[in-house]
Amino acid sequence: MSSPTPSPHPSTPPSASPSYAAVLRTRHAPSTFGAALLGRLSYGMVPLSLLLAVKDTTGSYSVAGAVMALFGAASVLLSPVRAALIDRYGPRRSLPLMAGAYAATLALLAQATWQPGTPGIRLGALALAAGVCTPPLGPVMRTVWSGLVPDRALLRRAYSLDAVAEELLLVTGPLLVGLLIEYARPAAGLAIGAGLVLAGSLALAYSPAVRGIGGLPSGPASAPGGPGGDSSGGRTQLLRRTAGLRHAVLVMAGVGLCIGGLDLLVVAFAEQRHQGSAVAWVLAALSAGSAVGGLVNGAVPWRVPSRVRLGAFAGALGLALFAAGFSPNVPVLMVMIALAGLFVAPVLTTAYLLADESVAPGGRTQAGAWVNTALNAGISAGTAGAGLLAGRLPLAVCFTVAALPALLGAAVAVRRTPAGGTAEPNEPNEPNKPNEPNEPNEPNEPNEPV
């Protein structure tokens, strides 16, 4: 049996059983993943802490909303730019600088909101600066996973584990803030968030698993579409030239629109039935369903391409949300939302996988950031759109409108295979490339344990 081509992290043999335990047994995986999760916990705490802290110090919901909009817009829209810097200069050079600047601005925000009376303009400027510097820990960790576990079956489980953990962090973060404000000011959540993101980012950047990632030399080898990946100057070219990435971005934008509108529609549904306290339980059902779906998705040895799975998961999510609009009461809504949640983590995981396999290694962080940006931008737009519709249209119609973007994204994802060989120039691991030794296990997985 011929030996496989060496990978940057050859500690994971291609023959390893494609299970979650195998993922966590991979050398450097537990410590690196733990560092990324520590930093990403900050992203679950900071938004709510910032909203409450600004409202406390200014006494104005409108100012708090404007500050949050500045923070969110800068964080989301500049994500591909920060990821391009990571790909160009490497995490070890870029991530500590970004995390340091982000933590410093969060600390300044904590100081500014500790006492009442701080002008909203100052808070907005600090929030904008924090958003500009937000380190892309999720895309970096997914790039690290691609190097740690080159086997595609194992990588799918790693991505599923990552998505489920991130989902749980986004639920845990606000709960920790809720406990914290019982004993301290909301500004304390900003200070803690600064410490978390700095510690997690530094531990991730200096993990042995990160060695050799990024830092592409300039020149023809690193030009967009070339063998070395995409240079930082080719951010939009990477999206334009790569059909698989473009499809993943479009689908995730539609999924984001659905998820963004869902929270507000659940609030309206519960309040319409005078059961406002049930909102937390309904949204918890969404997260629980997502966690279950993510774990199951990672354990199943799928035989269909990522593009087809992406469309199927997005379509199933849209259909579940459409049906949820016709729920007669809150318990039925909770069941329907949990059913919709089963497809949230799988569609996320599959989008990241499709983006990863569509580009060369030098563009993986950037590709993941484009998917992340599309999701977050869709969530923001979906929340705003649901706010305009709720109260003006029947809730069943609002749920239908919220479901449409995911259904349209599903149609885009599965409508056709890219024509010719130019649409997907960076896919060396497809099954029709028999001489590529790093991906031997995908066709022969059915008899392996999950």
Side-chain angles (χ1 to χ4, degrees):
M1 178 178 177
S2 59
S3 60
T5 300
S7 69
H9 304 283
S11 56
T12 305
S15 59
S17 298
S19 65
Y20 291 112
V23 170
L24 295 176
R25 284 196 302 266
T26 302
R27 189 183 180 195
H28 303 311
S31 59
T32 308
F33 189 36
L37 293 181
L38 180 67
R40 288 152 85 179
L41 179 58
S42 169
Y43 301 153
M45 295 184 65
V46 166
L48 181 57
S49 296
L50 180 59
L51 178 66
L52 296 176
V54 173
K55 187 267 174 188
D56 276 3
T57 194
T58 63
S60 170
Y61 283 106
S62 60
V63 173
V67 169
M68 288 299 298
L70 288 171
F71 174 74
S75 180
V76 170
L77 297 179
L78 293 179
S79 180
V81 178
R82 294 188 295 270
L85 291 174
I86 296 287
D87 279 334
R88 182 68 184 87
Y89 298 104
R92 288 198 169 178
R93 295 173 64 186
S94 306
L95 205 53
L97 295 176
M98 293 180 190
Y102 181 70
T105 50
L106 287 183
L108 290 174
L109 274 168
Q111 186 273 332
T113 55
W114 197 270
Q115 299 294 334
T118 304
I121 292 179
R122 180 185 173 192
L123 297 176
L126 288 172
L128 181 64
V132 168
C133 302
T134 307
L137 298 181
V140 169
M141 186 61 222
R142 282 181 284 273
T143 300
V144 172
W145 280 128
S146 296
L148 283 175
V149 285
D151 179 83
R152 299 303 295 182
L154 206 58
L155 181 62
R156 186 171 64 246
R157 284 153 180 81
Y159 275 19
S160 296
L161 187 64
D162 191 280
V164 170
E166 187 170 56
E167 183 79 25
L168 295 177
L169 288 179
L170 294 179
V171 174
T172 303
L175 293 177
L176 292 176
V177 173
L179 293 174
L180 181 65
I181 60 177
E182 293 290 330
Y183 306 99
R185 295 179 181 274
L190 294 174
I192 293 173
L196 288 172
V197 78
L198 185 60
S201 297
L202 291 177
L204 175 61
Y206 292 103
S207 166
V210 174
R211 186 182 299 115
I213 292 178
L216 292 175
S218 58
S222 61
D230 292 74
S231 69
S232 61
R235 289 184 293 272
T236 56
Q237 288 191 31
L238 178 69
L239 186 63
R240 288 198 304 266
R241 293 165 63 96
T242 313
L245 174 60
R246 195 163 56 247
H247 280 73
V249 166
L250 288 173
V251 172
M252 290 316 296
V255 169
L257 285 168
C258 290
I259 296 174
L262 180 61
D263 287 5
L264 194 146
L265 294 178
V266 167
V267 171
F269 187 100
E271 289 185 348
Q272 191 179 76
R273 289 154 178 80
H274 308 290
Q275 294 179 267
S277 60
V279 170
W281 291 102
V282 176
L283 296 180
L286 178 71
S287 297
S290 179
V292 172
L295 292 174
V296 172
N297 172 62
V300 172
W302 295 104
R303 306 291 296 169
V304 295
S306 299
R307 185 194 301 272
V308 176
R309 298 202 310 273
L310 182 66
F313 290 144
L317 173 62
L319 289 174
L321 291 182
F322 169 76
F326 297 94
S327 301
N329 51 50
V330 171
V332 174
L333 178 70
M334 188 181 303
V335 172
M336 297 306 301
I337 293 300
L339 179 62
L342 290 174
F343 304 103
V344 172
V347 75
L348 249 169
T349 300
T350 308
Y352 285 126
L353 280 169
L354 179 59
D356 178 87
E357 67 192 28
S358 298
V359 300
R364 282 171 175 167
T365 305
Q366 199 179 152
W370 272 115
V371 174
N372 206 46
T373 296
L375 175 68
N376 290 326
I379 288 174
S380 299
T383 302
L388 293 175
L389 294 178
R392 292 179 172 86
L393 296 174
L395 278 178
V397 176
C398 292
F399 272 93
T400 300
V401 173
L404 284 177
L407 295 173
L408 292 175
V412 167
V414 300
R415 63 178 181 175
R416 65 184 178 91
T417 303
T422 59
E424 303 273 9
N426 295 319
E427 295 192 359
N429 297 324
E430 289 296 306
N432 61 346
K433 303 273 187 175
N435 295 324
E436 192 67 24
N438 280 345
E439 305 292 343
N441 295 329
E442 191 69 25
N444 301 313
E445 288 176 7
N447 296 323
E448 294 185 348
V450 298

